[in-house]
Amino acid sequence: MTLKIGVIGTGAIGQEHIERLHNKLIGSTVVAVNDINKSQAEAIAKRLSPAARVYDNGQSLVNDPNVDAVLVTSWGPTHEEFVLASIAAGRPVFCEKPLATTAEACLNIVNAEVASGRHLVQVGFMRRYDRSYRLLKEQITNGNLGEPLMVHCAHRNPSVPDVYAGDMAITDSFPHEIDVLRWLLDDDYVSAQVIIPRKTKHTRKDLDDPHMILLETKKGIRIDVEVFVNCPYGYDIQCQVVGEDGIGYLPEPMSVLMRKDAKLSHEILQDWKLRFIDSYDVELQEWIDSVKAGVVRGPTAWDGYFAAVTADACVEAKHSGKIVPIKIADRPSFYAPAALRPAA
């Protein structure tokens, strides 16, 4: 069976995913596309063989009986509309993060999926598919570190564009840590605190940078995350798990050790897409396979909702200067690991 996929959003990440789905991964093809920029969508559709159908709106694409599953890579504020439409049509849907731009919108999606009685939604938190994170999780799960006590993390970018503003360090960059650390530790957060250190000279006057974000989990694990998005030396993701019996470090990306110009050095990546390029391939291949199997194995709509609630608490903590409780309802039994249901 070849999974016939419709893609809503043909910007940079949408184009990369279309290339993966149509030409690189096994068992899928892109049969329909939609974008607010129709001429761009048409140009991309023509490059596919056979050419994909171009739709004027995402709703029509979702309702196309020739589309087996939907990939949403459009602008964040449109995600709720298209994911809800996919649920209503009974289409499995992969939505790039964020699931939606507000916790309320995410909860709307959760409630709609639960009401449908079928697991249909997966969220694009790709770090769960990174080989380095999977190796670290294996050490935690196997008990090789003992019970985790603390986690120290860093999320560093060499620079960010002018559109990166306000609280995006928390709402745009940090959600990857929010999700992957919950997954690593198999634990939820109960409180958040945000500290703004001395501002770097490399940031704009209107942008706070860096941030220190402190989380506490239900089990009492303490987490600190440095988010530094104007860190000139490169794109650098760090994670150290301190356990009762040992310490586990996230493996560094593979690079050649160089002896040159009186220096011994490793290359440091500059582009997040290069750091996680393989994880995107693994993520979408596993999604294709899970849709065919009629299940959702990756991050769920509940995970997307939890990330939004946590980010909101962190924004509140930043502006209030207080430790803010992370209040979330009990997880519906629908999203319990043992409760996965067929999607078709």
Side-chain angles (χ1 to χ4, degrees):
M1 171 188 171
T2 298
L3 191 70
K4 293 177 289 185
I5 298 172
V7 179
I8 301 175
T10 59
I13 191 66
Q15 291 180 42
E16 290 181 13
H17 284 343
I18 288 169
E19 172 64 23
R20 288 184 177 91
L21 293 168
H22 200 78
N23 298 317
K24 186 175 183 180
L25 304 181
I26 298 171
S28 70
T29 185
V30 176
V31 299
V33 296
N34 160 258
D35 194 273
I36 191 171
N37 183 342
K38 188 174 181 181
S39 61
Q40 175 178 275
E42 289 173 339
I44 291 166
K46 288 179 182 178
R47 295 203 297 262
L48 304 176
S49 180
R53 184 171 180 178
V54 179
Y55 281 94
D56 290 332
N57 60 77
Q59 183 70 59
S60 297
L61 180 148
V62 169
N63 291 332
D64 183 348
N66 192 47
V67 170
D68 298 322
V70 177
L71 179 73
V72 177
T73 56
S74 53
W75 187 42
T78 67
H79 288 188
E80 179 188 13
E81 173 189 353
F82 298 136
V83 174
L84 287 175
S86 298
I87 294 170
R91 300 268 189 270
V93 54
F94 180 102
C95 180
E96 271 298 348
K97 71 94 179 167
L99 175 62
T101 53
T102 68
E104 180 182 7
C106 290
L107 188 58
N108 290 340
I109 292 170
V110 165
N111 290 335
E113 187 178 33
V114 171
S116 78
R118 303 164 64 189
H119 285 92
L120 295 167
V121 181
Q122 180 167 326
V123 184
F125 289 122
M126 83 297 186
R127 289 199 192 177
R128 296 191 189 195
Y129 299 87
D130 176 68
R131 177 167 172 75
S132 297
Y133 276 107
R134 289 188 166 189
L135 288 171
L136 181 56
K137 182 172 177 62
E138 183 179 342
Q139 296 304 313
I140 297 170
T141 302
N142 290 344
N144 291 339
L145 306 180
E147 289 296 326
L149 306 174
M150 297 176 287
V151 182
H152 309 298
C153 300
H155 182 141
R156 301 178 182 131
N157 287 57
S159 63
V160 288
D162 289 342
V163 295
Y164 192 102
D167 296 318
M168 288 182 68
I170 294 172
T171 61
D172 188 73
S173 298
F174 183 53
H176 284 296
E177 272 77 20
I178 292 174
D179 180 73
V180 80
L181 296 178
R182 283 183 67 231
W183 171 76
L184 274 177
L185 301 171
D186 192 24
D187 199 2
D188 285 339
Y189 313 124
V190 296
S191 70
Q193 181 180 8
V194 177
I195 298 170
I196 304 300
R198 177 181 174 180
K199 183 182 288 191
T200 173
K201 68 179 181 181
H202 298 294
T203 193
R204 305 189 310 268
K205 290 182 179 180
D206 63 337
L207 182 65
D208 291 325
D209 191 40
H211 291 67
M212 288 295 299
I213 303 171
L214 310 177
L215 300 172
E216 181 182 6
T217 75
K218 286 184 176 180
K219 296 176 184 176
I221 302 168
R222 294 288 186 165
I223 299 167
D224 60 83
V225 182
E226 167 204 322
V227 182
F228 187 6
V229 298
N230 290 281
C231 183
Y233 76 79
Y235 182 76
D236 190 13
I237 301 299
Q238 299 287 327
C239 182
Q240 178 194 90
V241 179
V242 179
E244 294 175 314
D245 302 324
I247 299 176
Y249 293 81
L250 186 71
E252 294 282 349
M254 186 173 66
S255 64
V256 175
L257 180 64
M258 295 287 293
R259 295 174 183 269
K260 184 179 180 182
D261 300 328
K263 296 179 181 178
L264 182 65
S265 63
H266 284 279
E267 180 184 18
I268 295 176
L269 296 173
Q270 297 290 311
D271 189 336
W272 60 269
K273 287 182 288 187
L274 295 176
R275 170 64 179 83
F276 290 108
I277 188 170
D278 293 335
S279 65
Y280 283 113
D281 293 344
V282 175
E283 175 186 46
L284 286 176
Q285 185 65 66
E286 290 192 13
W287 176 64
I288 293 166
D289 296 340
S290 67
V291 169
K292 290 182 179 181
V295 297
V296 173
R297 298 192 178 101
T300 65
W302 181 256
D303 295 317
Y305 167 63
F306 199 103
V309 172
T310 302
D312 285 351
C314 291
V315 170
E316 180 182 345
K318 172 184 174 179
H319 292 286
S320 70
K322 299 178 180 178
I323 297 174
V324 174
I326 298 172
K327 298 178 180 178
I328 193 163
D330 292 336
R331 181 179 64 183
S333 58
F334 180 84
Y335 292 107
L340 286 176
R341 306 176 188 182

